[in-house]
Amino acid sequence: MNFDMAASSTDIAAEARKGSRAGGLLLVAALCCAALAGGLVAGAGLDGLRALASGDAPPADEAADHGAEPADDGHGTQDGYGGTGTGTGAEQALHHLDEMIVNVTSASASGRLTTRFLKVNVAIVYDPAAPGADELEARTLFLRDTFQDYLRQLSETELEGSLGLHRLKAELLRRARAVVGGDAPQEILVSDLIIQ
């Protein structure tokens, strides 16, 4: 008789664990649905969501916004990313720098610091009409020197992931603008980034 009580209490405990797992899954599913609904409301707005649910066309002001050209913010940028957009390409030019190879620090599996080679190819997107654009070609050696000084200070972990690449581009752009003495450099393009 004691054996039956022990077996039934084990069954009850197993059923309780299954119930708590099912409750946890329901909670996760409910949170996912709430997040999806919040994303839809944020993206389409309440009027857009109502139109989508009823099958009607979106409101006129929202439909007009989708085909409109982005407004100029007064700083020469027209897209939301700090660039002048693709446009005709007449407002931007490229200045390629030669390949750069520098040493960067790295930690081995045992924790010992070692050096590795970083090979990087970059190009500078610039506005030929902006102040400092005429200095870009003449100051190529200064640009390479400044870039290499910065790259030598980096560690391998600082270059990991998309955040590392974004930080690298931002720092190189800041240095390019300082060397040129103007805001002509608009963006840094990285064609190769290899660590060996």
Side-chain angles (χ1 to χ4, degrees):
M1 195 151 195
N2 264 345
F3 179 73
D4 289 336
M5 271 177 129
S8 67
S9 66
T10 333
D11 292 339
I12 292 171
E15 289 297 321
R17 281 193 297 266
K18 286 181 185 175
S20 67
R21 285 185 192 150
L25 288 175
L26 286 175
L27 179 63
V28 168
L31 288 174
C32 288
C33 289
L36 178 64
L40 286 173
V41 169
L46 286 175
D47 293 333
L49 218 74
R50 285 188 195 117
L52 181 66
S54 66
D56 295 337
D61 60 340
E62 195 173 307
D65 286 346
H66 288 295
E69 291 285 324
D72 189 357
D73 65 0
H75 294 91
T77 60
Q78 293 181 351
D79 62 12
Y81 304 104
T84 55
T86 53
T88 61
E91 66 271 68
Q92 292 182 343
L94 282 177
H95 180 68
H96 294 277
L97 296 177
D98 292 334
E99 178 179 274
M100 292 178 275
I101 300 174
V102 297
N103 290 331
V104 294
T105 58
S106 173
S108 66
S110 63
R112 196 178 92 223
L113 288 179
T114 61
T115 58
R116 297 181 71 181
F117 290 109
L118 167 68
K119 174 181 142 180
V120 64
N121 284 316
V122 298
I124 301 172
V125 178
Y126 68 98
D127 181 1
D134 51 346
E135 294 291 319
L136 194 65
E137 192 73 37
R139 303 201 50 90
T140 298
L141 290 177
F142 295 99
L143 284 167
R144 285 181 51 83
D145 181 59
T146 303
F147 286 2
Q148 286 181 358
D149 283 346
Y150 170 69
L151 293 170
R152 283 187 182 103
Q153 297 172 19
L154 296 176
S155 67
E156 182 182 9
T157 57
E158 291 175 307
L159 295 167
E160 290 178 350
S162 59
L163 181 61
L165 183 61
H166 179 72
R167 190 178 304 129
L168 173 73
K169 287 180 171 185
E171 286 296 325
L172 292 180
L173 179 62
R174 187 175 69 80
R175 284 166 170 75
R177 287 179 174 171
V179 168
V180 170
D183 288 338
Q186 300 291 310
E187 188 177 354
I188 300 291
L189 302 178
V190 177
S191 58
D192 292 318
L193 180 71
I194 300 170
I195 300 175
Q196 290 183 334

